[in-house]
Amino acid sequence: MHNKNSTLVESYSKLYDVRKIREDFPILKIMVHGKPLVYLDNAATTQKPQYVIDKTNNYYEKYNANIHRGVHALSQEATEAFESSRIIIKNFINALGKNEIIFTRGTTESINLVASSYGRKNIKEGDEIIISTMEHHSNIVPWQMLCAEKNAKLRIIPINEEGEIIFEEFEKMINEKTKFVSVVYASNSLGNVNPVKKIISLAHSYNIPVMLDAAQAVNHLKIDVQQLDCDFLAFSGHKLYGPTGIGILYGKVNHLEAMPPYQGGGDMISKVTFEETTYNELPHKFEAGTPDIAGAIGLGAAIEYIEKIGLENIAYHENILLEYATKAVSDLQGLRIIGTAKEKIGVLSFHFENVHPHDVGTFLDFEGVAIRTGHHCTQPLMRRFGVPATSRASFGMYNTIEEVDVLVNGLKKILEVFG
Ligand code: PMP
């Protein structure tokens, strides 16, 4: 353990029992290439606790049935579990009502839903949509597609060398042509937390709605959509210790009421004739077809699990890991940290002067360490920093200081081999 960090870490570890938490995650016991798994790819997806696995399996084993349609016992039980999850999620982000919580496949589908439904209805030729330089492709491409269809313009808020949004540039950019703003709450590539409250209040002073991509924020920061006053917010279950293939779109009820359906099919209808269809009420209007029932139940379970540990405790733990790791890698020769904002979540992106990120990732894999290397679905951001890719270690609630040491020792070995 590095001395300068040790006092803080030791006093803190008495309060947060990371060993006990690790026991809840069966996958953390596996070996990779003969070494204990050190899983530091949490920004790509998090591991799942036994509680989530059990709740999901339980649905398939004990009450598998389709929801909303059947009068039989299993269908009613499944419907109840599915709808209870919606309420857990509503409470988790403090939405006004459960009709503001739409189940989707994930962040990507949530953003596409808004771009397609709200966007097609409201964006006209010559309008402008604002996003930022650090957006994930899923918060770029849907807006680009909409702009191409409508002959509208996509405008990009620049960032500084630390990776922070230059707020003054946003102030200059916003005008009467701006019709929508969509920004990432916390960046998956840089880790920084954006000043979303300031962005929302400025946009609202022009009557412009704001969407937040909260894929990376939701498992680190307490989200209160009423306090944020965002118009839409998207996140994915799999980054929240829940299943893949399930996610959430939150939308203010007045927007959702006014928006046309995204997809047509079962469950989203009230009455169908060959001449005409009337649509179901919210949230079902946006949930066509059989949803990922097990996934929704698993997501509710993941939130219950997180709340038992406490989001603030998790965030505090991850911040210590980030601080510790940042200090430890700062001394490594030729290593540049990409994303040095003051306020960050547990993401550490870096680039070695003389070693390609792909080699870093492959080398570390043989040490049992899973990190992510590549463009992290943020190619324009990589271009902004003049790098083809970065290596990214991202921390979760179960990571330890010892695991950071394994990472750093691996990086030292890489320098010996390639340096
Ligand atoms: N936005 C951000 C900031 C992300 O980190 C991700 C996932 N890497 C996404 C959007 C897309 O999420 P999903 O693939 O779960 O739809």
Side-chain angles (χ1 to χ4, degrees):
M1 187 177 289
H2 301 251
N3 283 340
K4 51 188 170 184
N5 273 338
S6 57
T7 321
L8 174 69
V9 170
E10 274 162 18
S11 61
Y12 172 67
S13 59
K14 291 193 181 89
L15 304 171
Y16 185 88
D17 196 349
V18 69
R19 310 275 148 219
K20 192 156 168 283
I21 290 169
R22 291 179 68 81
E23 288 296 311
D24 293 339
F25 289 80
I27 204 169
L28 297 180
K29 294 188 182 73
I30 68 162
M31 306 288 277
V32 173
H33 304 303
K35 307 261 172 69
L37 168 68
V38 174
Y39 187 77
L40 298 177
D41 195 15
N42 294 287
T45 198
T46 49
Q47 299 302 344
K48 324 302 173 202
Q50 192 64 51
Y51 182 69
V52 169
I53 298 168
D54 287 347
K55 280 271 188 166
T56 311
N57 285 346
N58 202 40
Y59 161 72
Y60 286 122
E61 284 172 9
K62 310 249 172 69
Y63 59 98
N64 174 57
N66 212 329
I67 53 168
H68 295 150
R69 293 161 212 175
V71 292
H72 62 82
L74 293 190
S75 176
Q76 291 199 1
E77 197 179 340
T79 303
E80 202 179 302
F82 182 83
E83 289 302 328
S84 303
S85 260
R86 200 191 302 273
I87 291 170
I88 293 171
I89 294 153
K90 169 209 160 264
N91 293 335
F92 182 58
I93 61 169
N94 196 30
L96 255 185
K98 76 184 188 93
N99 51 354
E100 295 182 319
I101 305 295
I102 316 288
F103 282 113
T104 63
R105 281 194 300 121
T107 309
T108 304
E109 188 174 48
S110 299
I111 298 172
N112 274 279
L113 190 162
V114 176
S116 179
S117 168
Y118 181 94
R120 283 213 178 109
K121 181 166 181 211
N122 294 293
I123 302 299
K124 311 259 177 323
E125 184 169 350
D127 287 348
E128 295 183 355
I129 296 170
I130 298 181
I131 61 172
S132 85
T133 307
M134 73 185 83
E135 299 309 320
H136 188 280
H137 296 161
S138 60
N139 200 28
I140 301 174
V141 185
W143 305 114
Q144 227 167 27
M145 288 160 68
L146 177 66
C147 286
E149 186 182 315
K150 296 287 183 175
N151 219 355
K153 189 170 173 195
L154 194 60
R155 302 202 60 190
I156 316 296
I157 315 170
I159 57 172
N160 63 21
E161 276 306 303
E162 283 69 42
E164 295 159 332
I165 274 181
I166 306 174
F167 192 77
E168 301 72 45
E169 294 295 327
F170 174 56
E171 276 177 318
K172 279 190 227 156
M173 195 176 278
I174 197 161
N175 61 45
E176 67 288 347
K177 286 192 204 152
T178 313
K179 291 292 153 30
F180 203 84
V181 175
S182 189
V183 287
V184 68
Y185 195 162
S187 158
N188 61 311
S189 294
L190 306 172
N192 55 314
V193 179
N194 285 322
V196 292
K197 250 195 100 70
K198 257 171 81 180
I199 289 173
I200 292 166
S201 46
L202 180 64
H204 282 182
S205 71
Y206 287 81
N207 245 332
I208 300 161
V210 179
M211 174 156 204
L212 296 181
D213 169 357
Q216 296 294 340
V218 71
N219 58 358
H220 302 271
L221 309 167
K222 177 73 198 135
I223 288 180
D224 180 331
V225 287
Q226 291 188 62
Q227 210 224 340
L228 284 170
D229 201 25
C230 54
D231 296 272
F232 299 99
L233 180 133
F235 63 91
S236 304
H238 69 99
K239 312 221 185 218
L240 197 56
Y241 308 95
T244 53
I246 189 81
I248 295 298
L249 171 67
Y250 157 81
K252 278 185 182 165
V253 70
N254 58 321
H255 290 311
L256 295 176
E257 290 285 8
M259 283 158 56
Y262 171 53
Q263 292 181 327
D267 237 25
M268 55 73 75
I269 55 92
S270 169
K271 187 175 168 218
V272 180
T273 67
F274 284 120
E275 288 69 40
E276 176 184 58
T277 294
T278 52
Y279 305 126
N280 204 344
E281 58 195 21
L282 289 173
H284 312 294
K285 181 173 91 174
F286 291 107
E287 293 178 353
T290 301
D292 183 351
I293 303 166
I297 293 167
L299 176 54
I303 291 173
E304 284 177 331
Y305 180 81
I306 285 171
E307 290 192 318
K308 213 172 75 198
I309 295 168
L311 200 53
E312 296 91 21
N313 298 330
I314 295 169
Y316 192 77
H317 175 71
E318 288 167 356
N319 282 344
I320 286 181
L321 296 176
L322 177 70
E323 220 178 291
Y324 181 85
T326 305
K327 275 190 189 136
V329 301
S330 299
D331 299 336
L332 299 182
Q333 205 195 341
L335 183 140
R336 171 184 171 205
I337 295 178
I338 311 278
T340 49
K342 264 197 220 89
E343 204 187 341
K344 281 182 69 172
I345 53 158
V347 166
L348 181 64
S349 258
F350 53 89
H351 189 256
F352 270 124
E353 212 168 44
N354 296 321
V355 195
H356 194 276
H358 189 75
D359 293 330
V360 176
T362 308
F363 193 98
L364 287 175
D365 180 48
F366 280 100
E367 299 291 312
V369 181
I371 62 157
R372 175 69 39 148
T373 57
H375 52 64
H376 319 293
C377 296
T378 53
Q379 286 180 1
L381 179 67
M382 297 294 114
R383 238 165 266 133
R384 161 66 182 81
F385 280 101
V387 292
T390 74
S391 305
R392 179 188 71 188
S394 51
F395 307 112
M397 65 160 91
Y398 35 64
N399 290 124
T400 65
I401 289 290
E402 290 76 16
E403 288 183 315
V404 178
D405 287 337
V406 176
L407 166 74
V408 176
N409 288 335
L411 295 176
K412 284 179 183 161
K413 282 191 206 165
I414 289 172
L415 274 184
E416 278 164 28
V417 174
F418 292 88

